[in-house]
């Protein structure tokens, strides 16, 4: 086993390479990475065995329950959509590391990081096959992969992105388990809980690679399915998802977080599109933060300015009062609540999710 210090050295090395690498080039469209050479997302029996070998474990051989609620089916569809996106991302990241493309040659520690991420790819493949397999079992169509576009050209930025979307997943799977529980789908809750832990192990690794504490918070930030559904689509080539329309979740208009908020920030600047606001009376809108398991924090829009279709504003950021570490999900809502739950925020949201990591 390598020590944390040597992993931190990996992070340091790639930070150095960040400085010397060229300015980001325009993103090319990768097209579809699927099907993978191992047959995913439709591996044969022997290909599945190979995936399990590389994942260091197997799909569960226990049958899923006999019935599922409609909302439970939506859970499985969202999980499949998300896991397909993760497989695409980590497959591309592993390819970049394997080929040592500029920005992805880590020097010392390279092989350890590469081998760890190769296991992640296979493990995410099994997460997808688990969800899509359950959908088939319940006579629902499996979710098909999209084409993706990831806004990163350097290892360190790729890990920052992985860490952020894994945090979103860690919050969303809390919502998934609660919805299973509410609808009598208790037979599916345990398997999802096992995946939360698995993604949490990954998150700890991504933190170390960023020179951060492995464990973020005592209680991780919660999420709502609609926010994850919207966030995933921001990495998708528009119109490239064959059956995303079978997932009955809400897609919000984008909320942009401007600048890089930190523990020292007392306010944060955001922007959104005026024509999608449904009002031009900005006092009717609020900025809401979701962090940890706390009640959502509601703030007024301040210093609002409109330029063409872009509305820019600031909102107070009560970092110190609530120790708002880790992931914070921001949304612009109609009305000022108060909101009892993250779900109530999503019900009233117009723009979101703005993803903030401290
Ligand atoms: C892989 O590298 C290419 C070329 O720099 C880049 O466009 C792409 O976003 C990278 N993907 C990941 C996941 O790092």
């Amino acid at each position: 086993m390598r020590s944390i210090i040597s992993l931190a050295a990996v992070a340091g090395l790639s930070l150095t390479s960040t400085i010397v690498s060229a300015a980001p080039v325009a993103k090319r469209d990768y097209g579809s990475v699927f099907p993978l050479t191992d047959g995913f997302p439709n591996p044969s029996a022997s290909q599945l065995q190979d995936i399990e070998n590389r994942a260091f474990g197997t799909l569960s051989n226990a049958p899923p329950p006999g019935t599922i609620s409609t909302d439970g089916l939506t859970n499985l569809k969202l999980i499949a959509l998300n896991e397909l996106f993760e497989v695409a991302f980590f497959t591309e990241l592993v390819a970049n590391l394997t080929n040592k493309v500029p920005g992805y040659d880590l020097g010392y520690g390279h092989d350890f990081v590469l081998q760890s991420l190769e296991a992640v790819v296979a493990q995410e493949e099994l997460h997808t096959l688990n969800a899509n397999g359950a959908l088939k079992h319940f006579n629902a169509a499996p979710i098909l992969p999209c084409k993706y576009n990831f806004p990163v050209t350097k290892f360190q930025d790729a890990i920052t992105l992985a860490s952020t979307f894994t945090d979103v997943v860690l919050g969303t799977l809390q919502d998934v388990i609660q919805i299973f529980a509410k609808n009598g789908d208790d037979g599916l809750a345990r398997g999802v809980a096992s995946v939360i832990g698995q993604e949490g192990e990954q998150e700890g690794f991504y933190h170390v690679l960023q020179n951060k504490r492995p464990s973020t918070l005592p209680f991780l930030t919660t999420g709502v399915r609609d926010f994850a559904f919207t966030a995933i689509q921001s990495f998708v080539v528009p119109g490239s998802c064959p059956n995303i329309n079978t997932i009955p979740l809400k897609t919000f208009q984008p909320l942009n977080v401007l600048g890089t908020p930190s523990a020292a920030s007392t306010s944060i600047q955001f922007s959104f599109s005026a024509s999608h606001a449904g009002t031009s009376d900005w006092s009717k809108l609020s900025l809401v933060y979701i962090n940890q398991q706390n009640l959502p924090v509601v703030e007024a829009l301040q210093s609002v300015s409109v330029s063409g279709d872009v509305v820019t504003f600031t909102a107070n950021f009560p970092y110190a009062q609530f120790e708002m570490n880790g992931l914070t999900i921001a949304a612009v809502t109609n009305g000022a609540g108060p909101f009892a739950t993250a779900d109530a925020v999503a019900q009233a949201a117009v723009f979101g999710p703005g993803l903030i990591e401290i």
Side-chain angles (χ1 to χ4, degrees):
M1 263 323 283
R2 284 179 171 75
S3 72
I4 285 173
I5 291 170
S6 64
L7 283 175
V10 169
L13 276 174
S14 59
L15 278 175
T16 312
S17 72
T18 295
I19 295 159
V20 297
S21 70
V25 289
K27 270 296 293 175
R28 71 187 172 93
D29 177 5
Y30 265 66
S32 184
V33 297
F34 299 112
L36 303 184
T37 52
D38 61 17
F40 180 90
N42 297 301
S44 66
S46 68
Q47 285 174 320
L48 175 60
Q49 220 165 44
D50 167 58
I51 296 169
E52 291 179 332
N53 285 339
R54 287 182 283 117
F56 299 95
T58 66
L59 282 176
S60 169
N61 56 9
T67 60
I68 189 170
S69 68
T70 308
D71 230 359
L73 275 179
T74 304
N75 279 345
L76 293 177
K77 290 174 185 176
L78 176 63
I79 291 173
L81 182 81
N82 176 66
E83 297 289 358
L84 283 163
F85 148 73
E86 293 200 38
V87 172
F89 178 86
F90 288 111
T91 297
E92 208 181 278
L93 181 54
V94 162
N96 285 353
L97 287 166
T98 303
N99 300 323
K100 298 193 173 174
V101 308
Y104 293 82
D105 184 352
L106 307 184
Y108 182 73
H110 188 96
D111 291 346
F112 174 73
V113 171
L114 177 55
Q115 284 159 21
S116 303
L117 292 174
E118 281 170 345
V120 166
V121 171
Q123 289 161 349
E124 300 290 9
E125 287 180 47
L126 294 184
H127 293 168
T128 315
L129 295 174
N130 184 50
N132 267 341
L135 284 170
K136 281 185 215 157
H137 165 87
F138 295 118
N139 295 317
I143 296 302
L144 302 169
C146 315
K147 292 178 182 167
Y148 308 90
N149 215 333
F150 306 114
V152 291
T153 51
K154 288 189 281 267
F155 175 73
Q156 207 60 36
D157 294 343
I159 291 300
T160 302
L161 178 60
S163 169
T164 303
F165 68 66
T166 301
D167 264 340
V168 172
V169 174
L170 288 167
T172 309
L173 293 182
Q174 298 172 31
D175 197 35
V176 160
I177 288 187
Q178 172 142 354
I179 290 166
F180 278 147
K182 253 195 324 216
N183 290 282
D185 295 323
D186 52 289
L188 292 160
R190 189 182 296 263
V192 174
S194 80
V195 172
I196 296 183
Q198 204 278 345
E199 301 274 351
E201 290 182 320
Q202 290 186 43
E203 186 66 54
F205 180 53
Y206 305 144
H207 279 194
V208 172
L209 289 174
Q210 298 174 84
N211 279 327
K212 290 182 176 177
R213 266 189 326 280
S215 63
T216 317
L217 286 160
F219 303 98
L220 296 189
T221 296
T222 197
V224 179
R225 294 185 305 184
D226 299 311
F227 287 136
F229 186 60
T230 303
I232 293 165
Q233 289 179 71
S234 68
F235 302 109
V236 154
V237 177
S240 71
C241 300
N243 65 352
I244 197 171
N245 61 315
T246 64
I247 308 177
L249 291 171
K250 235 191 287 179
T251 303
F252 303 105
Q253 292 296 324
L255 174 64
N256 306 305
V257 181
L258 306 180
T260 311
S262 72
S265 307
T266 53
S267 71
I268 298 178
Q269 196 172 34
F270 299 90
S271 72
F272 60 73
S273 151
S275 53
H276 289 107
T279 179
S280 52
D281 178 357
W282 314 122
S283 70
K284 291 209 163 80
L285 302 177
S286 300
L287 189 284
V288 184
Y289 297 111
I290 298 164
N291 178 257
Q292 304 178 65
Q293 299 287 315
N294 287 326
L295 292 171
V297 178
V298 180
E299 298 288 349
L301 276 57
Q302 295 173 334
S303 313
V304 182
S305 74
V306 185
S307 165
D309 191 44
V310 182
V311 179
T312 306
F313 67 96
T314 60
N316 180 39
F317 181 55
Y319 168 83
Q321 188 184 352
F322 299 107
E323 294 239 26
M324 294 171 76
N325 291 306
L327 175 68
T328 293
I329 296 174
V332 168
T333 57
N334 248 317
F339 302 104
T341 62
D343 202 48
V345 176
Q347 302 277 335
V350 187
F351 300 98
L355 304 177
I356 298 159
E357 285 277 2
I358 309 270

